[in-house]
């Protein structure tokens, strides 16, 4: 074991200072959102800011313990930690309590704990160990399969808890995979998937098919196989005509979706055969991309209609300005934007926020704590918070790149990716630029689980960083 004094001497104090400022400023805003101006008791029992002080103290004690632990402990016990937290995620489905429609909390008397916060830490450690394994390669199917299993298994369990927001956080690890050698096409396909999903809400499926077909033929055109392209266009047109004769709607009109699918299927069949005979791989790649996009478009439509709840559908529609619901799904965001906008340039002043005082914004001390910052501290305060988080993220990336150990580097990038996702989505949803998925703002949102989890996540990396010159395996 390393000594605490040596860890303290070599710890990155810039990051520690940023952590302390964020935690301190976060507590001030929890106090502002929760305090009663008529109460004479500062330490009033049951107040959120009092409980948060307790959790800050527990987090500081935990940090002290982490500084005493040998860095190799986090490598050797990463798998065990992962198994324990995964079992906790499974247990909470059966014995947990349901809060805001999500069964993701353990409750012991007045104390509640959300195991997903520790699962993020355990998954980050385990992914770091797998990726830093000798001869790991994204070109080896067995390696990729193991990595995906470790990454996706917690997501599946969290979705079963009906906590979609926390499950989406784990997709931040894709940034880590990209840094460690994953093909950038995965990120491109991910963005394409988001675009297709949005299009399924904005335009009819028939129009999406036309756009995908046009993109497919455009790609073939730039591959300089114009003769085959002309034949494919003719076959697609003939196939569309046949499909229009065969497939009818209830009113007897042609079913344009099936007609276009018929034409594209026949054209794809001819192009696929020609591609195989001439060994033109790019044709097969484009065909796979085209039909995969179509399958994703129709499955997205099914997922939206059958798998999402009414409140989730409403939030998406409100975000895309496809629905006006100021007293329902859009209420939180509208009130949040009013609170932030009313703060102006310098804010109304500490404890002077009317939106805050009269609880116009639900979940104001948790998911929507950023609107308290905007109302009482204004543009200057919100800018300061964003800059502080930006400095923290930049510092984490800088420290990650300084590591001699691949395990420490990968874990450092995992920490940065998780913080980036939380900060971007939380602030985005309070100003109406991201869907409301119910994830906390690190060090600001009220809650012991999140504060403790983020503190552990950060200071494990800072402990690893104290041995940056060593190869930790």
């Amino acid at each position: 074991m390393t000594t605490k004094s040596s860890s303290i001497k070599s710890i990155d104090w810039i990051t520690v200072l940023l952590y302390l400022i964020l935690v301190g400023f976060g507590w001030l805003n929890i106090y502002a959102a929760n305090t009663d101006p008529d109460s004479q008791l500062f330490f009033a029992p049951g107040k959120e800011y009092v409980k948060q002080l307790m959790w800050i103290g527990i987090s500081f004690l935990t940090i002290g313990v982490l500084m005493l632990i040998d860095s190799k402990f986090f490598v050797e016990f990463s798998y065990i930690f992962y198994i324990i937290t995964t079992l906790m995620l499974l247990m909470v489905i059966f014995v947990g309590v349901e809060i805001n429609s999500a069964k993701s909390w353990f409750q012991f008397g007045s104390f509640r704990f959300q195991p997903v916060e520790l699962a993020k830490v355990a998954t980050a450690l385990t992914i770091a160990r797998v990726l830093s394994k000798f001869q790991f390669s994204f070109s080896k199917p067995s390696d990729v399969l193991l990595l995906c299993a470790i990454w996706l298994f917690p997501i599946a369990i969290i979705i079963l808890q009906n906590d979609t927001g926390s499950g989406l956080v784990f997709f931040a690890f894709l940034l880590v995979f990209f840094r460690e050698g994953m093909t950038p096409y995965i990120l491109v396909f991910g963005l394409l998937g988001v675009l297709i999903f949005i299009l399924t809400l904005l335009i009819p499926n028939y129009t999406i098919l036309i756009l995908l077909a046009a993109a497919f033929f455009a790609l073939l055109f730039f591959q300089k196989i114009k003769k085959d392209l002309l034949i494919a266009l003719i076959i697609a047109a003939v196939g569309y005509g046949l499909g229009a004769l065969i497939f009818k709607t209830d009113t007897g009109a042609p079913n344009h979706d099936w007609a276009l699918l018929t034409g594209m299927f026949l054209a794809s069949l001819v192009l696929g055969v020609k591609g195989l005979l001439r060994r033109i791989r790019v044709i097969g790649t484009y065909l796979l991309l085209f039909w995969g996009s179509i399958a994703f478009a129709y499955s997205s439509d099914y997922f939206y209609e059958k798998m999402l709840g009414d409140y989730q559908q409403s939030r998406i529609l409100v975000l895309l300005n496809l629905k006006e619901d100021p007293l329902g799904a859009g209420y939180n965001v509208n009130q949040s934007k009013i609170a932030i906008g009313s703060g102006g340039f310098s804010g109304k002043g500490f404890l002077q926020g009317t939106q805050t005082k009269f609880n116009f914004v639900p979940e104001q001390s948790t998911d929507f704590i950023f609107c308290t910052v905007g109302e009482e501290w204004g543009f200057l305060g919100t800018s300061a918070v964003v800059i502080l988080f930006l400095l923290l993220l930049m510092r984490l990336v800088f420290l990650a790149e300084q590591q001699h150990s691949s395990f420490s580097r990968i874990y450092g990038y995992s920490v940065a990716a998780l913080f980036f996702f939380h900060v971007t989505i939380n602030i985005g949803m309070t100003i109406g630029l991201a869907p409301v998925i119910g994830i906390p703002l690190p060090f600001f949102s009220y809650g012991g689980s999140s504060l403790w989890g983020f503190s552990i996540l950060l200071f494990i990396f800072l402990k690893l960083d104290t041995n940056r010159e060593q190869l930790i395996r």
Side-chain angles (χ1 to χ4, degrees), residues 112-327:
R112 291 200 301 256
F113 176 71
Q114 194 174 18
V116 69
E117 301 299 338
L118 289 182
K120 297 172 190 174
V121 181
T123 305
L125 288 169
T126 308
I127 284 176
R129 186 170 183 184
V130 171
L131 286 175
S132 62
K133 185 177 64 174
F134 182 63
Q135 290 185 339
F136 177 92
S137 174
F138 279 97
S139 61
K140 293 182 181 178
S142 58
D143 288 353
V144 174
L145 184 62
L146 174 62
L147 180 64
C148 288
I150 291 170
W151 168 51
L152 294 176
F153 190 52
I155 297 177
I157 301 174
I158 295 167
I159 296 298
L160 290 176
Q161 298 172 3
N162 199 29
D163 189 7
T164 308
S166 295
L168 290 174
V169 171
F170 283 72
F171 283 89
F173 287 111
L174 283 172
L175 297 175
V176 182
F177 302 160
F178 173 68
R179 165 61 181 83
E180 296 302 316
M182 181 187 74
T183 173
Y185 289 118
I186 300 296
L187 295 180
V188 174
F189 292 155
L191 293 175
L192 178 62
V194 173
L195 177 61
I196 291 174
F197 177 77
I198 294 175
L199 287 176
T200 60
L201 303 177
L202 297 175
I203 58 179
N205 287 340
Y206 173 71
T207 307
I208 295 176
L209 289 173
I210 293 176
L211 291 175
L212 290 175
F216 172 73
F217 286 125
L219 288 173
L220 290 178
F221 176 80
F222 287 110
Q223 290 299 320
K224 299 179 180 180
I225 46 176
K226 297 178 182 179
K227 182 179 179 180
D228 293 334
L229 175 59
L230 181 60
I231 294 173
L233 284 170
I234 294 173
I235 293 174
V238 173
Y240 176 84
L242 291 174
L245 294 174
I246 297 172
F247 299 104
K248 304 287 185 179
T249 64
D250 295 336
T251 62
N255 189 315
H256 296 293
D257 285 18
W258 281 102
L260 184 57
L261 285 173
T262 301
M264 289 304 300
F265 175 76
L266 294 176
S268 299
L269 190 63
V270 172
L271 285 171
V273 171
K274 283 183 171 292
L276 286 173
L277 293 176
R278 298 181 184 178
R279 297 181 181 181
I280 306 176
R281 292 184 179 181
V282 69
I283 293 179
T285 302
Y286 289 159
L287 285 172
L288 182 63
L289 180 61
F290 172 73
W291 287 104
S293 298
I294 291 177
F296 183 81
Y298 279 91
S299 62
S300 295
D301 197 35
Y302 178 84
F303 174 79
Y304 176 80
E305 295 289 344
K306 305 296 184 182
M307 304 297 290
L308 294 181
D310 291 338
Y311 74 98
Q312 292 171 320
Q313 292 181 17
S314 295
R315 286 177 174 178
I316 294 173
L317 293 177
V318 169
L319 175 68
L320 297 175
N321 290 322
L322 299 177
K323 178 180 179 181
E324 293 290 337
D325 192 11
L327 299 179

Side-chain angles (χ1 to χ4, degrees), residues 33 48 100 315 326-337 339 355-356 358-372 426 429-430 436 438 445:
E48 291 179 349
N100 294 331
R315 286 177 174 178
L327 299 179
Y331 179 79
N332 288 24
V333 175
N334 284 339
Q335 293 299 320
S336 175
K337 290 193 289 187
Q355 296 288 113
T356 296
F358 297 107
N359 297 316
F360 282 103
V361 185
E363 312 293 341
Q364 185 152 340
S365 59
T366 53
D367 297 342
F368 283 86
I369 190 67
F370 190 73
C371 72
T372 302
N426 182 277
M429 72 184 191
T430 61
V436 179
S445 295

Side-chain angles (χ1 to χ4, degrees), residues 52 55 88-117 120 157-158 160-163 166 363 366-367 438-440 445-452:
Q52 192 75 358
W55 277 106
M88 292 171 66
L89 290 176
L90 287 170
M91 287 175 57
V92 79
I93 297 176
F94 301 101
V95 300
V97 296
E98 185 174 314
I99 299 175
N100 294 331
S101 301
K103 198 171 185 181
S104 57
W105 298 81
F106 288 120
Q107 182 157 350
F108 310 95
S110 61
F111 170 76
R112 291 200 301 256
F113 176 71
Q114 194 174 18
V116 69
E117 301 299 338
K120 297 172 190 174
I157 301 174
I158 295 167
L160 290 176
Q161 298 172 3
N162 199 29
D163 189 7
S166 295
E363 312 293 341
T366 53
D367 297 342
I439 61 174
S445 295
Y446 166 74
S449 300
S450 62
L451 176 62
W452 197 44

